[in-house]
Amino acid sequence: MSKVTVVGAGNVGATCANVLAFNEVADEVVLLDIKEGVAEGKALDMMQTATLLGFDTRITGVTNDYTKTAGSDVVVITSGIPRKPGMTREELIGVNAGIVKSVAASVLAHSPNAIIICVSNPMDTMTYLIQKTSGLPKNRVIGMGGALDSSRFKCYLSKALNANPNEVEGIVIGGHGDTTMIPLTRLATYKGLPVSQLLDAETLEKVAADTMVGGATLTKLLGTSAWYAPGAAAAYVVESILHDQKKIVPCSVYLEGEYGQSDICIGVPVVLGRTGWEKVVDFKLNDTEKELFEKSAAAVHKTNSVLHEIKAL
């Protein structure tokens, strides 16, 4: 029997729970929220689709009762305030740090062997906070951002190529921020063919630029943060872990020298399996990409320093 807890029954958390149930990733999904009745209502609404969609996963909603999360294999943390138009992910740190730290402690009190997936923004810094305060081994703390950013990258690539998005490969590394993520256009392919042979440099630059502001674009259109792709990306990471798929997925993980960085959680390609992230994959960046990664890491380090200023660490 496998069990996943999703903390935060807002748009992203509820979407994640729904995708997990529909795809029967786990036997049980617990949806938890601090607001009375919200998780229970959304869980019941989802369960009423079971016979329509043909899934057997059991979904339970609870209000702030962490005892119901006991024995979870994976915990997805989406808690915190979402972005509003014009806000950066970094501006959320003061409020979300306290929430995320408390949630991590609460879930681990009942599921000490769980793998934690962080979705809350600023995602790299919140992942770092969990790593530093939870006492968990580094392979069991994972930030979801790169999976989402890479999905957006492949979406924009497929549009530019007028191609099936499932036949496009592309990966985004670096910080999960509008100015820190690095779409690796050099390594992007369409059915094994480098996209640089199919798209001119100007088009590729636009694809990369659109990817980097993909979240901000949706926030401006919707008036709040996106949820379908972020929720599905979190579920994708959960499935890769629970089903021991050994997929290479860019995730924010704690580095100790890999890619030239230490004491930081930032997006790099990792192999995901039943124990969490198993190893960092070296993509052999060129000099330009290395320079971009160093700048991205410097920005994430700067954001992390706020944790000390607000005494979260």
Side-chain angles (χ1 to χ4, degrees), residues 245-261:
Q245 292 178 335
K246 311 298 184 187
K247 286 182 176 177
I248 295 177
V249 182
C251 295
S252 184
V253 300
Y254 189 73
L255 301 184
E256 295 179 296
E258 301 94 341
Y259 282 84
Q261 298 297 324

Side-chain angles (χ1 to χ4, degrees), residues 83-282:
R83 284 203 288 174
K84 293 180 173 62
M87 288 182 71
T88 65
R89 295 177 177 90
E90 290 71 28
E91 289 177 286
L92 304 176
I93 187 170
V95 175
N96 287 354
I99 296 171
V100 169
K101 186 177 179 180
S102 173
V103 167
S106 296
V107 294
L108 289 172
H110 299 282
S111 302
N113 297 315
I115 294 165
I116 293 185
I117 297 171
C118 180
V119 179
S120 307
N121 278 317
M123 192 271 310
D124 298 292
T125 295
M126 293 300 100
T127 304
Y128 180 77
L129 176 65
I130 295 169
Q131 179 65 58
K132 286 294 186 179
T133 59
S134 67
L136 289 176
K138 63 182 182 179
N139 64 294
R140 284 168 52 196
V141 180
I142 299 166
M144 172 283 301
L148 170 61
D149 298 333
S150 297
S151 179
R152 287 173 171 162
F153 183 33
K154 287 180 277 190
C155 174
Y156 286 117
L157 280 171
S158 69
K159 286 177 177 291
L161 291 162
N162 192 27
N164 185 323
N166 292 302
E167 295 190 331
V168 175
E169 284 293 334
I171 197 165
V172 177
I173 62 171
H176 180 58
D178 300 347
T179 61
T180 54
M181 66 180 75
I182 306 162
L184 294 175
T185 54
R186 178 179 64 91
L187 301 178
T189 61
Y190 173 42
K191 293 298 285 185
L193 188 67
V195 297
S196 57
Q197 295 182 20
L198 303 168
L199 300 174
D200 59 40
E202 184 180 351
T203 301
L204 268 179
E205 286 175 12
K206 186 178 187 309
V207 166
D210 288 346
T211 299
M212 293 175 73
V213 297
T217 299
L218 289 165
T219 300
K220 184 177 180 181
L221 290 169
L222 298 167
T224 187
S225 296
W227 60 89
Y228 293 120
Y236 180 84
V237 174
V238 173
E239 183 173 16
S240 301
I241 292 167
L242 270 187
H243 294 182
D244 199 25
Q245 292 178 335
K246 311 298 184 187
K247 286 182 176 177
I248 295 177
V249 182
C251 295
S252 184
V253 300
Y254 189 73
L255 301 184
E256 295 179 296
E258 301 94 341
Y259 282 84
Q261 298 297 324
S262 295
D263 193 34
I264 189 174
C265 288
I266 192 170
V268 292
V270 295
V271 175
L272 294 179
R274 193 60 186 82
T275 60
W277 67 270
E278 297 181 349
K279 65 178 179 179
V280 173
V281 181
D282 187 355

